[in-house]
Amino acid sequence: MSPLKKNNRILHKSWHDSVFLGLHYDLHANAEDTELGAKLTPEHLRAELEKVKPDWVQCDCKGHPGYTSWPTKVGSTSPGVVKDSLRIYRDVTRELGIPLVVHYSGVIDYRAIELHPEWQIVPSGRSDGCQANGSTCILGRYSDELMIPQMLEVIDKYDVDGFWIDGDCWGAKFCYCDRCRQAFTRETGISEIPVESTDPRWQDWAAFHRKNFEEYVRRYIEAVKARKPGCTVCSNWMYSVCHPSEVNVPIDYISGDCPYSWAMPSAELESRFVASRGMNWDLMVWGFLTMEKEMSGWTFKSAAQIKQESAVVISQGGAVSIYDVPNRNGLLTGWHQDIMAEVADFVRARKQWVRETESVPQVAILHSPSHYYASNGGRLLECGLQARQTLVGALDCLLDCHCQVDVLTEKNLIGHISGYKLVVIAEQTNPSAELLSALEKYVEAGGKLLISGVNASADYGNLTGTTADGDLQDSHFYLDVDGESTTIKGPWQPVKLNGAQVLSYASKYVDPAQQNSGIPAITLNRIGNGAIASIHSQYFDYYSQTHYPRSRKLVGNVIDILSPDFIVSVDAPSKLHVVLRKQGTSTIVHLLNTGSTNTMSPSQGIVEDVDTIGHVGLRIKYPSRPSSVYLAPGLDGLTWDWSDGLLQVHVRGVGIMDSVVIESRGE
């Protein structure tokens, strides 16, 4: 096959390049199982799969307990295996002509550690340090003596089409065994091993482990490809938000499973980030959730909720898979498959308008690897709350303001910055000299920049036109929003003006008519033909926790002052999110309804249904009169008019996902 060149990297085509909807079944076989596969038959599996008609299937192989659900000669077979269900999955998927991928637990393997305690990581020993939790040492013998031989056994025995390696990124841990300590000292010359994330050489220690993790993945990929070149390999969440390093390991595609509860913010963020990586990708949505603190008490989601989460994924051009757990005896739950079949119909109805599309650059949010790794709370690749929430807050706020948003690494942003109307730096520390130079040139040429964070003056002072003035303030404060006020939590950084002007002062009073503190909280600086607005607090981190409407409105007001030349403006509630894509010569505006008929709360995570959003207005800058404008997939439900380069569209109602398709003349 000829290689596919994308974003200056060569990617080899695989079956995954053409799929759109998948099903994922795993059950993490364990030592207590007694009936694995006992009732599974080819006839049952075929009938249930034909309800959904997936493009690919992922089934159980080996989960985190370390036992296989099929008879292995290399590792430990669960004593509960009654029938070889993997053989049935292989035979049925081959008959149906669809790829079969196996779910295989990578770094995490409790059974392997039970048999080989020396394979387990050695924690730092500090009270707040990571625990082993079944994680094996990346530099140990686990992958060479068990994992890779067992993967090859699966290929030889079942001729599978791919591996979805689970528990890798988030399962990898810092290890303090003698082998890791000695290797670190040998490579860096550092003899005193860091144990705290505040240690001066901690980032060297973290980079050492990240490099070893990538080499571990590279080894098992090379082994699989040597045995079966067409067999794909994906490491769950590798090169996603939790792993923003530059792509240098030849995984076949990016994939990850979104959280089982409250998945929308994660799906919105991850889909935009992985879509920017220049690789084929999919995201998995869980078909079930629990509202209990422990991972128990599972219940299946509504079709509306799975559709809503799936819509977020496909709107960015990716494939989506749905996760269900078989019964321990191998049978699939029929009514679960019925719900997933309804979701499949919903997803496929939109395939024509989401595949082979690309983002139209409007707003870019920076996801800086150096900031992320430095602020990840002592974790390796598992997402730290603080490091992630600033991105979630910024993205949620901008989407609530109906902005079209991409999320880019520093390198990606520098390479594409000139195409964006607005760049957002949300509480990102440690900017490189190259980034600062690119931002300055961008603004001088007319670009618009929004910076937030207590570090804004210290890290981006020349751009903000301010300097820090005194210590951080931890108290809450209030900001004027059109005669009302919004609450902001400290810390916030008092600043002095160094060329900037004040847009808003911090106040200790809820009533904006009362005297303010005289301390600038939001400033505006102009450089060349562009402008920079700066919010001198952890504004977006706080927004991720609160989603206060007036805080959203204030950001909208600041964006209006910056006046980026956006293509689309929308008259709709904040729960309607906008995605702007190009498909050939067509422009497509996906409208995502993120609302719920029922009130959502910490004890209510099920979206029972989604109310239609009525009477949505769009104003779209479009240079010439379109040949047609219609609403997909229903092909009806809007009116439009074009005059003097402005297309005005009225949509009578938006369900979970509807798309305004604008086709140019001559198509």
Side-chain angles (χ1 to χ4, degrees):
M1 295 183 180
S2 60
L4 169 70
K5 187 173 183 181
K6 195 169 185 180
N7 285 5
N8 298 317
R9 293 189 300 105
I10 300 296
L11 303 175
H12 294 284
K13 279 188 173 293
S14 73
W15 59 263
H16 193 274
D17 294 326
S18 60
V19 297
F20 186 53
L21 174 72
L23 294 178
H24 177 93
Y25 302 104
D26 72 51
L27 45 73
H28 293 267
N30 59 59
E32 285 71 48
D33 276 310
T34 60
E35 54 176 346
L36 294 178
K39 293 189 177 182
L40 182 64
T41 65
E43 293 75 20
H44 167 80
L45 180 60
R46 185 183 307 109
E48 296 302 324
L49 291 181
E50 286 182 337
K51 288 181 179 179
V52 186
K53 298 180 176 59
D55 298 325
W56 86 100
V57 170
Q58 296 178 176
C59 74
D60 192 75
C61 179
K62 186 199 76 169
H64 305 325
Y67 290 89
T68 66
S69 53
W70 50 278
T72 177
K73 295 180 180 179
V74 174
S76 299
T77 303
S78 169
V81 173
V82 176
K83 190 186 295 183
D84 187 351
S85 57
L86 182 49
R87 169 52 57 195
I88 295 174
Y89 271 87
R90 173 68 285 183
D91 292 345
V92 170
T93 53
R94 177 165 284 142
E95 176 190 331
L96 295 175
I98 57 178
L100 178 67
V101 178
V102 290
H103 167 271
Y104 189 97
S105 182
V107 167
I108 300 176
D109 191 315
Y110 284 91
R111 175 60 173 169
I113 289 173
E114 178 185 354
L115 297 175
H116 302 277
E118 71 279 8
W119 290 359
Q120 182 173 248
I121 67 157
V122 176
S124 65
R126 69 182 195 274
S127 59
D128 63 341
C130 70
Q131 304 302 308
N133 292 333
S135 294
T136 56
C137 172
I138 297 288
L139 294 184
R141 295 159 61 185
Y142 160 74
S143 61
D144 290 335
E145 296 192 9
L146 175 61
M147 182 179 178
I148 291 174
Q150 196 166 59
M151 293 171 75
L152 300 182
E153 181 187 19
V154 173
I155 293 173
D156 293 343
K157 189 170 183 177
Y158 301 99
D159 192 30
V160 298
D161 300 294
F163 289 88
W164 195 82
I165 307 299
D166 196 7
D168 254 8
C169 271
W170 57 270
K173 309 287 186 184
F174 293 105
C175 181
Y176 289 82
C177 71
D178 290 341
R179 178 176 48 252
C180 288
R181 288 169 173 265
Q182 291 167 8
F184 176 69
T185 299
R186 187 167 55 250
E187 291 185 20
T188 66
I190 301 171
S191 57
E192 187 172 344
I193 309 300
V195 294
E196 303 283 352
S197 59
T198 54
D199 288 349
R201 306 310 296 267
W202 178 263
Q203 289 306 317
D204 297 297
W205 181 239
F208 166 78
H209 278 81
R210 288 196 300 270
K211 175 184 69 68
N212 290 336
F213 171 78
E214 292 180 350
E215 289 306 310
Y216 143 81
V217 175
R218 186 187 300 276
R219 286 200 311 276
Y220 67 66
I221 289 175
E222 290 176 349
V224 167
K225 298 295 185 181
R227 187 62 58 95
K228 184 181 178 182
C231 187
T232 61
V233 184
C234 168
S235 177
N236 185 16
W237 288 127
M238 192 173 195
Y239 297 127
S240 68
V241 168
C242 72
H243 185 209
S245 302
E246 291 303 310
V247 177
N248 57 36
V249 175
I251 57 174
D252 288 286
Y253 56 94
I254 297 175
S255 181
D257 56 319
C258 296
Y260 51 81
S261 293
W262 308 106
M264 289 289 284
S266 176
E268 299 257 40
L269 175 62
E270 292 287 358
S271 62
R272 282 166 176 79
F273 184 67
V274 298
S276 76
R277 300 290 257 167
M279 294 186 67
N280 195 264
W281 61 277
D282 71 66
L283 289 182
M284 183 192 304
V285 299
W286 287 46
F288 53 98
L289 58 71
T290 178
M291 300 310 298
E292 300 180 19
K293 291 182 180 180
E294 296 78 20
M295 294 184 72
S296 60
W298 302 103
T299 190
F300 215 68
K301 296 176 181 176
S302 68
Q305 186 162 13
I306 305 174
K307 290 176 186 177
Q308 201 174 49
E309 294 169 6
S310 299
V312 168
V313 177
I314 65 172
S315 72
Q316 298 298 318
V320 66
S321 63
I322 308 170
Y323 176 18
D324 187 22
V325 177
N327 293 285
R328 308 308 284 185
N329 61 18
L331 293 179
L332 300 179
T333 302
W335 63 272
H336 288 189
Q337 315 313 303
D338 294 338
I339 290 175
M340 293 193 294
E342 180 182 341
V343 176
D345 289 342
F346 169 89
V347 169
R348 288 199 188 91
R350 288 152 178 81
K351 181 178 180 179
Q352 176 181 343
W353 298 280
V354 296
R355 295 312 296 259
E356 302 300 323
T357 63
E358 60 183 25
S359 174
V360 177
Q362 295 289 283
V363 180
I365 296 177
L366 171 66
H367 179 29
S368 165
S370 61
H371 164 79
Y372 182 80
Y373 291 136
S375 58
N376 201 25
R379 295 170 176 84
L380 181 54
L381 293 171
E382 181 184 13
C383 278
L385 181 63
Q386 179 69 27
R388 185 186 183 89
Q389 287 307 103
T390 54
L391 294 173
V392 170
L395 178 60
D396 282 0
C397 188
L398 291 163
L399 293 178
D400 291 348
C401 291
H402 304 131
C403 293
Q404 147 71 4
V405 187
D406 297 327
V407 182
L408 308 179
T409 63
E410 181 176 309
K411 183 176 180 179
N412 207 356
L413 176 61
I414 291 172
H416 298 88
I417 192 169
S418 63
Y420 285 91
K421 312 294 187 181
L422 174 67
V423 172
V424 178
I425 312 293
E427 288 117 75
Q428 302 282 293
T429 58
N430 302 317
S432 67
E434 186 181 7
L435 174 64
L436 292 173
S437 175
L439 292 173
E440 187 169 348
K441 291 176 181 176
Y442 166 74
V443 175
E444 286 177 344
K448 308 301 171 64
L449 185 59
L450 174 58
I451 302 174
S452 69
V454 295
N455 62 303
S457 292
D459 284 344
Y460 305 91
N462 290 339
L463 290 164
T464 67
T466 62
T467 55
D469 185 24
D471 297 332
L472 295 179
Q473 304 295 307
D474 288 327
S475 60
H476 286 79
F477 64 99
Y478 304 92
L479 295 175
D480 185 355
V481 185
D482 298 340
E484 299 177 341
S485 66
T486 191
T487 305
I488 307 297
K489 184 180 181 180
W492 51 287
Q493 174 63 64
V495 298
K496 291 191 298 186
L497 304 181
N498 187 24
Q501 66 186 82
V502 180
L503 294 182
S504 184
Y505 290 98
S507 177
K508 63 179 180 179
Y509 298 104
V510 175
D511 184 353
Q514 300 290 326
Q515 185 177 4
N516 63 57
S517 66
I519 299 175
I522 305 178
T523 57
L524 178 70
N525 192 34
R526 299 189 183 277
I527 298 176
N529 295 318
I532 308 99
S534 305
I535 307 175
H536 300 276
S537 72
Q538 303 301 95
Y539 192 94
F540 290 117
D541 176 55
Y542 192 51
Y543 188 85
S544 73
Q545 304 170 48
T546 59
H547 291 78
Y548 291 152
R550 294 180 189 87
S551 295
R552 176 185 70 240
K553 185 177 183 181
L554 180 57
V555 168
N557 291 345
V558 171
I559 292 175
D560 287 344
I561 292 170
L562 289 171
S563 300
D565 186 22
F566 289 154
I567 293 174
V568 179
S569 59
V570 179
D571 181 14
S574 62
K575 64 183 177 181
L576 185 137
H577 291 175
V578 173
V579 177
L580 184 60
R581 309 282 290 183
K582 290 286 288 184
Q583 186 183 63
T585 56
S586 297
T587 298
I588 303 176
V589 186
H590 299 306
L591 304 175
L592 303 179
N593 183 344
T594 65
S596 172
T597 55
N598 53 291
T599 301
M600 305 298 282
S601 72
S603 61
Q604 165 58 292
I606 293 281
V607 174
E608 296 182 37
D609 206 350
V610 178
D611 279 335
T612 297
I613 299 175
H615 304 292
V616 173
L618 295 90
R619 292 167 299 281
I620 304 167
K621 295 176 182 177
Y622 210 76
S624 60
R625 184 178 181 85
S627 59
S628 66
V629 180
Y630 60 91
L631 192 67
L635 307 181
D636 189 21
L638 64 73
T639 57
W640 64 278
D641 182 60
W642 179 90
S643 178
D644 296 328
L646 182 65
L647 174 65
Q648 299 193 64
V649 179
H650 176 258
V651 180
R652 290 193 290 272
V654 176
I656 293 174
M657 177 184 178
D658 290 292
S659 303
V660 176
V661 183
I662 308 163
E663 295 182 343
S664 297
R665 294 186 181 279
E667 292 181 323

